[in-house]
Amino acid sequence: MSLRIRTIARLTGIREATLRAWERRHGFPRPERSENNYRVYSRDEVEAVRRVAKLMEEGLSVSEAIAQVRDEPRTSVPPLARHVERFWAAVMVLDSEAADAALSAAQVGLSATTYCDTVLIPLLREMASRLDVAREHMASALVRHRLRMLLAGMARVGEGPRGVLACPARDHHEGGLLALGVHLKARGWRVTLLGADTPAEALEGACLQVRPDLVALSFIRRRDSADFVSVLSEAMHACAPVPVVVGGPGAREHLKTLFTLGAQYAESTEELIAVWQQARNAQNRP
């Protein structure tokens, strides 16, 4: 794939004028010319520019950084990093097929949880700072689809606890919730994923149907105190008497409130499981 200088500037954070100055003074990067005489760059050139920028952040001068990158063997860039850069490059030109192919290549040889933690979730976290709205929508849809496929394709391990996972009403960011599902399923849990923007009535219906051991709610969207109390209260009433564990930055701001309402808070899968075990032990005490 050949990329224009404007795209390279957005991908690397290096201004177009700076890239042209580097080319004049240092012969780096080395773009080819299109039929219309525009500069076009390969993926390898993009990766090289990003490495130069990183070395400069670490204190090297531009000439030192370029010299070091030129001396690096091509194999010094880990294959996974190459796949990730291919993903970003494809997203910048809105090539969904190439971006999805990069995600497929990055998955080879990785366990479900490793793929989730080292590729998919980091990509989701970087999107807001890297992309405009159109590209972020395309890229996040691709990554969330991968997470859903990952979760659906995992074999069940035994008959562990059952968890219902949901984002509350008007919360559409389900990436973290999907990652939680992957980790719970890898630990033998039976996962029922309700996904984004789940109203209290849907939570109630799911709890009546599957009788979960725990309900996990992911609050990403920021809410004022009154809205948070209203949404969480309705959700807990719908799930009662099942323990409710809440996570996400939208809940972190209201810790005192959520504890007062009777919910628990967890930052990770391990913390969520620990909270569930404590609740189970409390129920089993005479």
Side-chain angles (χ1 to χ4, degrees):
M1 181 188 299
S2 296
L3 304 173
R4 296 274 295 278
I5 190 169
R6 181 180 303 173
T7 303
I8 302 311
R10 294 187 64 178
L11 278 170
T12 63
I14 304 299
R15 294 185 307 161
E16 293 178 43
T18 301
L19 289 170
R20 293 190 184 98
W22 288 1
E23 184 184 341
R24 288 193 306 271
R25 297 171 188 168
H26 306 285
F28 173 89
R30 292 183 179 176
E32 297 179 357
R33 292 282 178 171
S34 68
E35 294 179 359
N36 297 325
N37 204 35
Y38 290 118
R39 290 174 173 83
V40 291
Y41 299 78
S42 68
R43 291 192 183 103
D44 286 343
E45 290 290 343
V46 178
E47 293 166 6
V49 170
R50 288 180 68 87
R51 295 202 298 281
V52 166
K54 186 174 186 300
L55 290 170
M56 290 174 64
E57 289 177 359
E58 294 172 357
L60 271 65
S61 69
V62 60
S63 58
E64 290 171 334
I66 289 172
Q68 182 167 323
V69 168
R70 277 178 169 160
D71 291 340
E72 291 176 355
R74 291 287 185 183
T75 56
S76 66
V77 182
L80 186 58
R82 287 182 177 272
H83 299 320
V84 168
E85 287 305 322
R86 290 191 185 102
F87 172 81
W88 290 124
V91 167
M92 291 305 298
V93 294
L94 293 174
D95 187 340
S96 59
E97 290 185 3
D100 197 50
L103 293 179
S104 293
Q107 186 176 2
V108 175
L110 300 181
S111 68
T113 54
T114 300
Y115 181 47
C116 173
D117 292 350
T118 63
V119 179
L120 300 179
I121 293 303
L123 289 177
L124 281 178
R125 288 173 178 157
E126 288 188 49
M127 286 178 189
S129 61
R130 277 180 174 260
L131 306 174
D132 59 19
V133 174
R135 289 171 175 82
E136 184 179 1
H137 277 218
M138 187 194 84
S140 64
L142 287 171
V143 172
R144 284 185 282 108
H145 178 64
R146 283 276 162 179
L147 283 164
R148 284 185 170 275
M149 289 176 58
L150 195 63
L151 181 59
M154 295 173 68
R156 180 189 293 180
V157 182
E159 294 291 325
R162 185 183 293 279
V164 167
L165 279 54
C167 296
R170 303 187 306 282
D171 205 317
H172 298 273
H173 298 279
E174 61 180 358
L177 190 76
L178 290 163
L180 173 63
V182 169
H183 277 273
L184 286 176
K185 198 167 182 180
R187 288 163 170 78
W189 282 57
R190 293 169 291 166
V191 173
T192 299
L193 179 74
L194 302 185
D197 190 22
T198 303
E201 311 86 73
L203 275 172
E204 183 175 16
C207 288
L208 289 171
Q209 178 69 40
V210 304
R211 305 288 182 182
D213 298 283
L214 177 141
V215 172
L217 299 177
S218 176
F219 282 79
I220 304 300
R221 180 176 177 266
R222 296 196 168 187
R223 304 167 188 263
D224 62 34
S225 181
D227 186 30
F228 182 80
V229 168
S230 174
V231 171
L232 182 55
S233 296
E234 289 181 5
M236 293 191 63
H237 179 74
C239 300
V242 179
V244 174
V245 180
V246 180
R252 196 178 301 124
E253 298 177 342
H254 303 284
L255 289 179
K256 184 176 179 181
T257 300
L258 72 88
F259 290 137
T260 301
L261 291 173
Q264 296 296 322
Y265 180 78
E267 290 273 4
S268 65
T269 305
E270 290 73 18
E271 287 185 14
L272 180 143
I273 292 174
V275 167
W276 169 74
Q277 288 173 336
Q278 290 171 2
R280 182 183 62 174
N281 292 337
Q283 291 173 351
N284 292 336
R285 288 189 191 121

